[in-house]
Amino acid sequence: MDFLYIILGVLLIAIIFGLISYFRIKKAVTNLTQEQFIEGYRKAQLIDVREPKEFAGGHILGARNIPQSQLRQRYKEIRSDKPVYLYDQNGARSGRVALFLKKKGYNQLYQLQGGFKQWTGKVKSK
């Protein structure tokens, strides 16, 4: 019986943690549909937060690759006075990147809803 309570406690903690993360990310970044993303990304900094291998396989035309794994060392390459448009494969990593950037003082943060796998616009491959 004690084992069941432990499992329920762990599940409850995981759900609470998930909800807190969700709402923190939601406050840090604005989700944009592809149409909204296309309207603004040319006037912004377009950052692909996927790993270099994923980026090389295809990315949105004009994007710079700053992988999430290198963000702590490279975030200063991103200007804080201009809008930042983020995307990844499906939308999870870009949310965490936005949270990190928000803590560093970035305010104009946007992410592509659904990520690159939903993208139907222009793509460049190496």
Side-chain angles (χ1 to χ4, degrees), residues 46-61:
L46 181 58
I47 311 294
D48 184 324
V49 300
R50 299 176 301 158
E51 293 305 307
K53 202 175 224 174
E54 294 172 284
F55 183 78
H59 55 271
I60 297 173
L61 199 62

Side-chain angles (χ1 to χ4, degrees), residues 65-111:
N65 186 217
I66 300 179
Q68 181 188 10
S69 61
Q70 299 173 14
L71 191 68
R72 289 192 185 286
Q73 297 80 30
R74 296 183 58 195
Y75 77 91
K76 288 184 176 152
E77 295 175 28
I78 305 168
R79 290 178 51 178
S80 60
D81 62 332
K82 289 184 74 182
V84 180
Y85 277 51
L86 303 164
Y87 74 92
D88 61 18
Q89 194 62 27
N90 58 22
R93 284 179 276 182
S94 57
R96 291 192 295 275
V97 166
L99 207 51
F100 174 83
L101 291 173
K102 185 79 170 173
K103 286 178 189 167
K104 297 293 184 186
Y106 293 76
N107 292 311
Q108 301 176 72
L109 300 168
Y110 304 89
Q111 76 175 347

Side-chain angles (χ1 to χ4, degrees), residues 7-25:
I7 290 176
L8 285 173
V10 169
L11 273 173
L12 186 63
I13 289 169
I15 290 169
I16 290 169
F17 180 77
L19 284 171
I20 290 170
S21 293
Y22 170 78
F23 286 111
R24 284 178 61 215
I25 289 170

